[in-house]
Amino acid sequence: MKICIDPGHGMSNRQTGVYDPGVTHVENGFQFQEAAIALRYALTLKDVLRSRQVEVFMTRDDDTDQTPVGSRASMAKAAGCEALISLHLNDFDDDSANGLEVLFRDSDDKAVAQMLQDALIKATKMRDRKIKQRTDLAVLKFSGIAVLVELGFIANDEDRGKLLNAQIRDAITRTIAKVVVDHLAQT
Ligand SMILES: [Zn+2]
């Protein structure tokens, strides 16, 4: 079993040689970046999957890896992955927007997206924004199982506080690993 973990944004995501931090939020002079938080989740998820004897392919390991958004799904395919998990944070004009949602592209992935959504809401007690089908996202154009988790809203104090908490990170990454590995084992 081999799974691709895709930490959203990063170097050359949209433009060659330009670092894309994703959504950002400044609090007391410190800038929180989606790309950095997503990477930390991805690296934790990698450890969790490896502890379950799952092979892992990362689209990027750090802030210098070149990862154009349009090439990530093909990188995962070339690496021989059966599933792709993309990790992101959300943003909205209104800082009160909050909650977690799982995005999917192919109708075949709706069931696993729903299982992931339910398990993550149960594990985090975050607001359930429901699963959403998105056919416009390049990263989800992957032949195997593909889901994108919008972990929460970076500008929402409660969401951000939770996502920066190591216990929540452990709970989220263990939940993602369990749902995806169980689903792959059954298909
Ligand atoms: Zn993003």
Side-chain angles (χ1 to χ4, degrees), residues 89-158:
L89 273 73
N90 237 324
D91 194 25
F92 192 64
D93 295 340
D94 181 350
D95 288 357
S96 69
N98 68 99
L100 182 149
E101 63 195 35
V102 175
L103 313 180
F104 66 101
R105 178 187 176 90
D106 299 329
S107 298
D108 285 354
D109 292 338
K110 186 175 182 178
V112 70
Q114 187 66 61
M115 281 188 277
L116 197 50
Q117 178 78 20
D118 293 344
L120 285 170
I121 295 304
K122 196 174 168 200
T124 61
K125 311 277 184 280
M126 289 172 82
R127 190 160 85 82
D128 186 354
R129 296 180 62 85
K130 316 291 183 189
I131 61 170
K132 295 183 172 74
Q133 187 163 27
R134 290 283 298 270
T135 54
D136 57 323
L137 300 174
V139 72
L140 292 178
K141 285 183 190 167
F142 178 70
S143 47
I145 292 161
V147 286
L148 187 156
V149 185
E150 292 278 9
L151 295 161
F153 283 70
I154 199 164
N156 181 265
D157 292 342
E158 200 178 332

Side-chain angles (χ1 to χ4, degrees), residues 9-24:
H9 308 274
M11 183 53 78
S12 303
N13 181 55
R14 289 188 180 150
Q15 200 182 333
T16 306
V18 177
Y19 181 73
D20 167 19
V23 297
T24 60

